[in-house]
Short mmCIF file of all heavy atoms in Angstrom, two decimals:
data_model
loop_
_atom_site.label_atom_id
_atom_site.label_comp_id
_atom_site.label_asym_id
_atom_site.label_seq_id
_atom_site.Cartn_x
_atom_site.Cartn_y
_atom_site.Cartn_z
N ILE A 1 2.72 8.49 18.70
CA ILE A 1 3.55 9.17 17.69
C ILE A 1 3.76 8.24 16.50
O ILE A 1 3.66 8.67 15.34
CB ILE A 1 4.89 9.62 18.31
CG1 ILE A 1 4.64 10.71 19.34
CG2 ILE A 1 5.85 10.10 17.22
CD1 ILE A 1 5.84 11.04 20.20
N PHE A 2 4.02 6.97 16.77
CA PHE A 2 4.14 5.97 15.70
C PHE A 2 2.86 5.93 14.89
O PHE A 2 2.88 5.92 13.65
CB PHE A 2 4.43 4.61 16.34
CG PHE A 2 4.95 3.56 15.42
CD1 PHE A 2 6.30 3.27 15.37
CD2 PHE A 2 4.10 2.82 14.62
CE1 PHE A 2 6.79 2.28 14.54
CE2 PHE A 2 4.57 1.82 13.78
CZ PHE A 2 5.92 1.56 13.74
N ASP A 3 1.72 5.94 15.58
CA ASP A 3 0.42 5.96 14.92
C ASP A 3 0.31 7.19 14.01
O ASP A 3 -0.15 7.09 12.87
CB ASP A 3 -0.69 5.96 15.98
CG ASP A 3 -2.07 6.15 15.40
OD1 ASP A 3 -2.58 5.20 14.78
OD2 ASP A 3 -2.64 7.26 15.55
N TYR A 4 0.72 8.34 14.49
CA TYR A 4 0.68 9.57 13.70
C TYR A 4 1.52 9.43 12.44
O TYR A 4 1.08 9.76 11.34
CB TYR A 4 1.17 10.75 14.55
CG TYR A 4 1.33 12.02 13.78
CD1 TYR A 4 0.24 12.79 13.43
CD2 TYR A 4 2.60 12.47 13.41
CE1 TYR A 4 0.38 13.98 12.72
CE2 TYR A 4 2.76 13.65 12.71
CZ TYR A 4 1.65 14.40 12.36
OH TYR A 4 1.81 15.57 11.67
N PHE A 5 2.74 8.92 12.58
CA PHE A 5 3.63 8.76 11.43
C PHE A 5 3.07 7.78 10.40
O PHE A 5 3.36 7.88 9.21
CB PHE A 5 5.02 8.32 11.85
CG PHE A 5 5.86 9.42 12.46
CD1 PHE A 5 6.59 9.18 13.60
CD2 PHE A 5 5.92 10.68 11.89
CE1 PHE A 5 7.38 10.18 14.14
CE2 PHE A 5 6.69 11.69 12.43
CZ PHE A 5 7.43 11.43 13.56
N LEU A 6 2.27 6.82 10.85
CA LEU A 6 1.68 5.85 9.93
C LEU A 6 0.34 6.32 9.38
O LEU A 6 -0.34 5.59 8.66
CB LEU A 6 1.51 4.49 10.63
CG LEU A 6 2.80 3.77 10.98
CD1 LEU A 6 2.50 2.48 11.72
CD2 LEU A 6 3.62 3.48 9.73
N GLY A 7 -0.06 7.54 9.73
CA GLY A 7 -1.31 8.09 9.20
C GLY A 7 -2.52 7.68 10.00
O GLY A 7 -3.65 7.81 9.52
N GLY A 8 -2.31 7.20 11.21
CA GLY A 8 -3.42 6.78 12.06
C GLY A 8 -4.18 7.95 12.65
O GLY A 8 -3.82 9.12 12.46
N SER A 9 -5.23 7.65 13.38
CA SER A 9 -6.07 8.70 13.93
C SER A 9 -6.13 8.69 15.45
O SER A 9 -6.86 9.49 16.03
CB SER A 9 -7.49 8.56 13.37
OG SER A 9 -8.04 7.31 13.74
N TYR A 10 -5.36 7.81 16.11
CA TYR A 10 -5.40 7.80 17.57
C TYR A 10 -4.13 8.43 18.12
O TYR A 10 -3.23 7.75 18.62
CB TYR A 10 -5.62 6.40 18.14
CG TYR A 10 -6.17 6.49 19.53
CD1 TYR A 10 -7.52 6.71 19.75
CD2 TYR A 10 -5.33 6.45 20.63
CE1 TYR A 10 -8.02 6.87 21.02
CE2 TYR A 10 -5.82 6.59 21.90
CZ TYR A 10 -7.17 6.80 22.09
OH TYR A 10 -7.67 6.96 23.35
N ASN A 11 -4.06 9.75 17.95
CA ASN A 11 -2.96 10.53 18.50
C ASN A 11 -3.52 11.88 18.90
O ASN A 11 -4.61 12.27 18.47
CB ASN A 11 -1.81 10.65 17.49
CG ASN A 11 -2.29 11.13 16.14
OD1 ASN A 11 -2.57 12.31 15.97
ND2 ASN A 11 -2.41 10.22 15.19
N PHE A 12 -2.79 12.57 19.74
CA PHE A 12 -3.25 13.85 20.28
C PHE A 12 -2.25 14.94 19.94
O PHE A 12 -1.13 14.66 19.50
CB PHE A 12 -3.43 13.73 21.80
CG PHE A 12 -4.45 12.69 22.18
CD1 PHE A 12 -4.06 11.40 22.50
CD2 PHE A 12 -5.80 12.99 22.20
CE1 PHE A 12 -4.99 10.43 22.84
CE2 PHE A 12 -6.74 12.03 22.53
CZ PHE A 12 -6.34 10.75 22.86
N GLU A 13 -2.63 16.18 20.17
CA GLU A 13 -1.77 17.31 19.82
C GLU A 13 -0.39 17.18 20.48
O GLU A 13 0.62 17.48 19.85
CB GLU A 13 -2.44 18.63 20.20
CG GLU A 13 -1.66 19.86 19.73
CD GLU A 13 -1.42 19.91 18.23
OE1 GLU A 13 -2.20 19.32 17.45
OE2 GLU A 13 -0.44 20.57 17.82
N VAL A 14 -0.33 16.74 21.72
CA VAL A 14 0.97 16.59 22.39
C VAL A 14 1.86 15.61 21.62
O VAL A 14 3.08 15.82 21.53
CB VAL A 14 0.77 16.15 23.87
CG1 VAL A 14 0.20 14.74 23.96
CG2 VAL A 14 2.07 16.25 24.64
N ASP A 15 1.28 14.59 21.01
CA ASP A 15 2.03 13.63 20.20
C ASP A 15 2.45 14.24 18.88
O ASP A 15 3.59 14.07 18.42
CB ASP A 15 1.19 12.37 19.94
CG ASP A 15 0.63 11.77 21.21
OD1 ASP A 15 1.41 11.54 22.14
OD2 ASP A 15 -0.60 11.55 21.26
N ARG A 16 1.55 14.98 18.26
CA ARG A 16 1.83 15.58 16.96
C ARG A 16 2.91 16.65 17.06
O ARG A 16 3.74 16.80 16.16
CB ARG A 16 0.55 16.13 16.34
CG ARG A 16 -0.46 15.01 16.02
CD ARG A 16 -1.67 15.52 15.27
NE ARG A 16 -2.57 16.33 16.08
CZ ARG A 16 -3.56 15.85 16.82
NH1 ARG A 16 -3.80 14.54 16.86
NH2 ARG A 16 -4.34 16.67 17.51
N VAL A 17 2.92 17.40 18.17
CA VAL A 17 3.95 18.43 18.37
C VAL A 17 5.33 17.77 18.38
O VAL A 17 6.25 18.20 17.68
CB VAL A 17 3.70 19.22 19.67
CG1 VAL A 17 4.91 20.04 20.06
CG2 VAL A 17 2.47 20.10 19.53
N LEU A 18 5.49 16.72 19.17
CA LEU A 18 6.77 16.03 19.23
C LEU A 18 7.12 15.37 17.90
O LEU A 18 8.28 15.41 17.46
CB LEU A 18 6.79 15.00 20.36
CG LEU A 18 8.15 14.36 20.64
CD1 LEU A 18 9.19 15.40 21.00
CD2 LEU A 18 8.02 13.34 21.74
N ALA A 19 6.12 14.83 17.22
CA ALA A 19 6.36 14.21 15.92
C ALA A 19 6.86 15.24 14.92
O ALA A 19 7.81 14.97 14.16
CB ALA A 19 5.07 13.55 15.41
N ARG A 20 6.27 16.41 14.91
CA ARG A 20 6.72 17.46 13.97
C ARG A 20 8.14 17.91 14.30
O ARG A 20 8.94 18.17 13.39
CB ARG A 20 5.74 18.63 13.98
CG ARG A 20 4.42 18.31 13.28
CD ARG A 20 3.54 19.54 13.10
NE ARG A 20 3.03 20.07 14.35
CZ ARG A 20 1.85 19.74 14.88
NH1 ARG A 20 1.05 18.89 14.27
NH2 ARG A 20 1.46 20.29 16.02
N GLN A 21 8.48 17.96 15.58
CA GLN A 21 9.85 18.31 15.96
C GLN A 21 10.82 17.24 15.47
O GLN A 21 11.90 17.56 14.97
CB GLN A 21 9.95 18.47 17.48
CG GLN A 21 9.23 19.68 18.02
CD GLN A 21 9.19 19.70 19.54
OE1 GLN A 21 9.59 18.76 20.21
NE2 GLN A 21 8.67 20.80 20.08
N ALA A 22 10.44 15.99 15.61
CA ALA A 22 11.29 14.89 15.15
C ALA A 22 11.47 14.95 13.64
O ALA A 22 12.57 14.68 13.12
CB ALA A 22 10.69 13.55 15.56
N LEU A 23 10.42 15.32 12.91
CA LEU A 23 10.50 15.42 11.45
C LEU A 23 11.49 16.49 11.00
O LEU A 23 12.12 16.36 9.95
CB LEU A 23 9.12 15.72 10.86
CG LEU A 23 8.17 14.54 10.80
CD1 LEU A 23 6.78 15.01 10.39
CD2 LEU A 23 8.68 13.47 9.86
N GLU A 24 11.62 17.55 11.79
CA GLU A 24 12.59 18.59 11.45
C GLU A 24 14.02 18.05 11.51
O GLU A 24 14.87 18.48 10.74
CB GLU A 24 12.44 19.78 12.40
CG GLU A 24 11.15 20.55 12.20
CD GLU A 24 10.98 21.67 13.21
OE1 GLU A 24 11.96 22.01 13.92
OE2 GLU A 24 9.86 22.20 13.29
N ILE A 25 14.26 17.12 12.40
CA ILE A 25 15.59 16.54 12.56
C ILE A 25 15.80 15.37 11.60
O ILE A 25 16.88 15.21 11.04
CB ILE A 25 15.78 16.06 14.03
CG1 ILE A 25 15.69 17.26 14.97
CG2 ILE A 25 17.10 15.32 14.20
CD1 ILE A 25 15.51 16.88 16.42
N TRP A 26 14.76 14.56 11.42
CA TRP A 26 14.88 13.33 10.64
C TRP A 26 13.64 13.17 9.77
O TRP A 26 12.73 12.41 10.10
CB TRP A 26 15.05 12.16 11.59
CG TRP A 26 15.59 10.92 11.00
CD1 TRP A 26 16.10 10.73 9.75
CD2 TRP A 26 15.68 9.64 11.65
NE1 TRP A 26 16.51 9.44 9.59
CE2 TRP A 26 16.26 8.74 10.75
CE3 TRP A 26 15.33 9.18 12.90
CZ2 TRP A 26 16.50 7.42 11.04
CZ3 TRP A 26 15.57 7.86 13.21
CH2 TRP A 26 16.15 7.00 12.29
N PRO A 27 13.57 13.85 8.64
CA PRO A 27 12.36 13.85 7.81
C PRO A 27 11.99 12.49 7.22
O PRO A 27 10.87 12.31 6.76
CB PRO A 27 12.66 14.87 6.71
CG PRO A 27 14.09 15.21 6.81
CD PRO A 27 14.60 14.73 8.12
N GLU A 28 12.91 11.54 7.25
CA GLU A 28 12.64 10.21 6.67
C GLU A 28 11.86 9.29 7.61
O GLU A 28 11.50 8.17 7.23
CB GLU A 28 13.95 9.51 6.30
CG GLU A 28 14.77 10.26 5.27
CD GLU A 28 15.70 11.31 5.90
OE1 GLU A 28 15.82 11.36 7.14
OE2 GLU A 28 16.28 12.10 5.15
N ILE A 29 11.59 9.72 8.83
CA ILE A 29 10.96 8.84 9.82
C ILE A 29 9.69 8.17 9.29
O ILE A 29 9.56 6.95 9.41
CB ILE A 29 10.66 9.59 11.14
CG1 ILE A 29 11.96 9.92 11.88
CG2 ILE A 29 9.76 8.78 12.05
CD1 ILE A 29 11.76 10.79 13.10
N PRO A 30 8.73 8.89 8.71
CA PRO A 30 7.52 8.20 8.26
C PRO A 30 7.81 7.09 7.24
O PRO A 30 7.26 6.00 7.33
CB PRO A 30 6.67 9.31 7.64
CG PRO A 30 7.13 10.55 8.33
CD PRO A 30 8.61 10.34 8.55
N ARG A 31 8.70 7.35 6.29
CA ARG A 31 9.03 6.32 5.29
C ARG A 31 9.69 5.11 5.93
O ARG A 31 9.42 3.97 5.56
CB ARG A 31 9.95 6.90 4.21
CG ARG A 31 9.22 7.78 3.23
CD ARG A 31 10.02 8.06 1.95
NE ARG A 31 11.45 7.95 2.08
CZ ARG A 31 12.30 8.98 2.16
NH1 ARG A 31 11.84 10.20 2.14
NH2 ARG A 31 13.59 8.79 2.25
N ILE A 32 10.55 5.35 6.91
CA ILE A 32 11.22 4.24 7.60
C ILE A 32 10.20 3.40 8.36
O ILE A 32 10.23 2.16 8.29
CB ILE A 32 12.31 4.78 8.55
CG1 ILE A 32 13.45 5.39 7.73
CG2 ILE A 32 12.82 3.69 9.49
CD1 ILE A 32 14.42 6.23 8.54
N LEU A 33 9.29 4.04 9.07
CA LEU A 33 8.28 3.31 9.83
C LEU A 33 7.31 2.57 8.91
O LEU A 33 6.88 1.46 9.21
CB LEU A 33 7.54 4.25 10.77
CG LEU A 33 8.40 4.90 11.86
CD1 LEU A 33 7.56 5.82 12.72
CD2 LEU A 33 9.12 3.86 12.70
N GLN A 34 6.97 3.18 7.78
CA GLN A 34 6.10 2.49 6.81
C GLN A 34 6.81 1.28 6.23
O GLN A 34 6.19 0.23 6.04
CB GLN A 34 5.68 3.47 5.71
CG GLN A 34 4.73 4.53 6.21
CD GLN A 34 4.61 5.71 5.27
OE1 GLN A 34 5.24 5.77 4.22
NE2 GLN A 34 3.83 6.70 5.68
N ALA A 35 8.11 1.41 5.95
CA ALA A 35 8.89 0.26 5.44
C ALA A 35 8.96 -0.84 6.48
O ALA A 35 8.85 -2.03 6.16
CB ALA A 35 10.29 0.71 5.04
N ASN A 36 9.11 -0.46 7.74
CA ASN A 36 9.14 -1.45 8.82
C ASN A 36 7.82 -2.20 8.90
O ASN A 36 7.80 -3.43 9.01
CB ASN A 36 9.44 -0.75 10.15
CG ASN A 36 9.32 -1.68 11.33
OD1 ASN A 36 8.27 -1.72 11.97
ND2 ASN A 36 10.38 -2.39 11.63
N ARG A 37 6.71 -1.49 8.82
CA ARG A 37 5.38 -2.12 8.88
C ARG A 37 5.18 -3.03 7.67
O ARG A 37 4.66 -4.14 7.80
CB ARG A 37 4.31 -1.02 8.93
CG ARG A 37 2.88 -1.50 9.07
CD ARG A 37 2.62 -2.33 10.32
NE ARG A 37 2.94 -1.69 11.55
CZ ARG A 37 2.11 -1.06 12.35
NH1 ARG A 37 0.85 -0.96 12.02
NH2 ARG A 37 2.52 -0.53 13.48
N ALA A 38 5.64 -2.60 6.50
CA ALA A 38 5.52 -3.43 5.29
C ALA A 38 6.34 -4.70 5.44
O ALA A 38 5.91 -5.79 5.04
CB ALA A 38 5.96 -2.64 4.06
N PHE A 39 7.53 -4.59 6.03
CA PHE A 39 8.36 -5.77 6.26
C PHE A 39 7.65 -6.76 7.18
O PHE A 39 7.65 -7.97 6.93
CB PHE A 39 9.72 -5.40 6.86
CG PHE A 39 10.47 -6.59 7.37
CD1 PHE A 39 11.12 -7.43 6.50
CD2 PHE A 39 10.49 -6.89 8.73
CE1 PHE A 39 11.79 -8.56 6.96
CE2 PHE A 39 11.15 -8.00 9.21
CZ PHE A 39 11.80 -8.84 8.31
N LEU A 40 7.05 -6.25 8.25
CA LEU A 40 6.34 -7.14 9.18
C LEU A 40 5.20 -7.88 8.48
O LEU A 40 4.98 -9.06 8.72
CB LEU A 40 5.79 -6.34 10.37
CG LEU A 40 6.82 -5.83 11.35
CD1 LEU A 40 6.16 -4.92 12.39
CD2 LEU A 40 7.55 -6.98 12.03
N ARG A 41 4.48 -7.18 7.59
CA ARG A 41 3.40 -7.84 6.85
C ARG A 41 3.97 -8.94 5.94
O ARG A 41 3.44 -10.05 5.88
CB ARG A 41 2.61 -6.82 6.02
CG ARG A 41 1.64 -6.00 6.84
CD ARG A 41 0.69 -5.21 5.95
NE ARG A 41 1.37 -4.28 5.09
CZ ARG A 41 1.59 -3.00 5.38
NH1 ARG A 41 1.17 -2.51 6.52
NH2 ARG A 41 2.22 -2.22 4.53
N ARG A 42 5.06 -8.61 5.22
CA ARG A 42 5.66 -9.61 4.33
C ARG A 42 6.19 -10.80 5.11
O ARG A 42 5.98 -11.96 4.73
CB ARG A 42 6.81 -8.98 3.51
CG ARG A 42 6.34 -8.04 2.44
CD ARG A 42 7.47 -7.63 1.49
NE ARG A 42 8.70 -7.23 2.15
CZ ARG A 42 8.99 -5.99 2.54
NH1 ARG A 42 8.11 -5.02 2.37
NH2 ARG A 42 10.14 -5.71 3.11
N ALA A 43 6.87 -10.54 6.21
CA ALA A 43 7.42 -11.62 7.03
C ALA A 43 6.30 -12.50 7.58
O ALA A 43 6.42 -13.73 7.61
CB ALA A 43 8.27 -11.05 8.16
N GLY A 44 5.22 -11.88 8.00
CA GLY A 44 4.08 -12.65 8.50
C GLY A 44 3.49 -13.55 7.43
O GLY A 44 3.18 -14.71 7.69
N ARG A 45 3.35 -13.03 6.22
CA ARG A 45 2.82 -13.86 5.12
C ARG A 45 3.75 -15.03 4.80
O ARG A 45 3.29 -16.14 4.56
CB ARG A 45 2.59 -13.00 3.88
CG ARG A 45 1.32 -12.17 3.96
CD ARG A 45 0.93 -11.60 2.61
NE ARG A 45 1.89 -10.63 2.11
CZ ARG A 45 1.84 -9.32 2.34
NH1 ARG A 45 0.87 -8.83 3.09
NH2 ARG A 45 2.73 -8.52 1.84
N VAL A 46 5.05 -14.77 4.82
CA VAL A 46 6.01 -15.86 4.55
C VAL A 46 5.88 -16.94 5.61
O VAL A 46 5.80 -18.13 5.31
CB VAL A 46 7.46 -15.31 4.50
CG1 VAL A 46 8.48 -16.44 4.55
CG2 VAL A 46 7.66 -14.46 3.26
#
């Protein structure tokens, strides 16, 4: 599901169904996860 939210390709319909349900409740999830991944990259470079 995390992979799906980050635009990855290793997810299945069962994951996408739950991800879409989560988006209905919390539409900011993809942006939050992308910000988290960006932070990890910045922290690693530092």
Side-chain angles (χ1 to χ4, degrees):
I1 293 169
F2 196 100
D3 173 73
Y4 172 77
F5 284 136
L6 292 177
S9 61
Y10 202 82
N11 51 76
F12 299 95
E13 186 58 25
V14 67
D15 307 308
R16 295 186 289 272
V17 167
L18 188 58
R20 287 189 292 267
Q21 290 172 354
L23 284 172
E24 291 176 12
I25 298 166
W26 198 8
E28 299 87 8
I29 290 174
R31 284 196 336 257
I32 292 167
L33 297 179
Q34 290 163 1
N36 173 265
R37 184 59 57 98
F39 168 78
L40 289 173
R41 283 192 299 266
R42 288 190 313 271
R45 282 194 295 270
V46 167

